[in-house]
Amino acid sequence: MTQTIVQFLPDQAATERLGELLATVLTRGDFVGLEGELGAGKTCVTRGILRALTGGTARVTSPTYTLLNEYDGPDHMPVVVHADLYRLHDEDDLESTGYWDAVADADLLIVEWIDQVTAAWPETGWRIQLQHVEAGRSVTVSWVGEGAPERTKALSGLLEEG
Ligand SMILES: Nc1ncnc2c1ncn2[C@@H]1O[C@H](COP(=O)(O)OP(=O)(O)OP(=O)(O)O)[C@@H](O)[C@H]1O
Ligand SMILES: [Mg+2]
């Protein structure tokens, strides 16, 4: 029973593909927390998720200065919010920037630099950790909270198929 998925991503296309596959197992209300140093591939994963959900129409960049961007998602999750906590430091910053109000209506919330402000974690969610490995990246995918075996099973099957 695989609950933590580890995979090598040889190039940018593989990182985006991981996001596309993850998108197929997401359900309304899901949270995706992305961790990894500068340039680790967090936005590429987000781009893959949004490509799968919007049919490739969304242009996705890191909302480093704007804190978050909102996208029109599919019918089963119409409001997709992509946030970037790089410039935030603690729980108080979540209040003062209006983060909680801004994400309240999200049907899918994707957050880069979640490790920067761990107070932004809900009770359950996808934890995506990216690391530089040689010329590529390594990704570790896990589900935080109850139900991890059920939530990770389908994705691990999809990744095995390639
Ligand atoms: N698997 C990979 N192998 C090699 N390069 C990759 C891979 N995945 C992504 N990249 C490259 O890494 C660079 C940074 O990607 P990306 O912008 O997604 O990182 P990020 O984690 O969002 O960075 P930031 O912390 O600045 O927001 C891009 O130029 C992309 O081409
Ligand atoms: Mg980014």
Side-chain angles (χ1 to χ4, degrees), residues 68-112:
L68 49 87
N69 288 328
E70 201 173 298
Y71 299 92
D72 291 330
D75 290 346
H76 67 287
M77 40 175 82
V79 179
V80 179
V81 175
H82 175 209
D84 184 332
L85 305 183
Y86 182 63
R87 288 157 56 81
L88 272 47
H89 302 291
D90 55 29
E91 205 169 345
D92 290 346
D93 290 344
L94 295 173
E95 300 290 344
S96 63
T97 55
Y99 173 84
W100 291 118
D101 289 338
V103 303
D105 294 333
D107 298 304
L108 172 65
L109 176 56
I110 305 167
V111 180
E112 294 192 34

Side-chain angles (χ1 to χ4, degrees), residues 62-68 84 86-87:
S62 286
T64 312
Y65 293 95
T66 53
L67 183 63
L68 49 87
D84 184 332
Y86 182 63
R87 288 157 56 81

Side-chain angles (χ1 to χ4, degrees), residues 2 4 9 40 42 44 48 50 78 93 97 139 141 156 161:
T2 315
T4 300
L9 306 168
K42 302 178 291 296
C44 287
L50 277 155
D93 290 344
T97 55
V139 67
V141 180
S156 92
E161 287 165 22

Side-chain angles (χ1 to χ4, degrees), residues 34 37-44 46-47 61-64 82-84 112-113:
L34 292 156
E37 60 198 32
L38 275 173
K42 302 178 291 296
T43 301
C44 287
T46 308
R47 198 171 285 138
T61 52
S62 286
T64 312
H82 175 209
D84 184 332
E112 294 192 34
W113 289 102

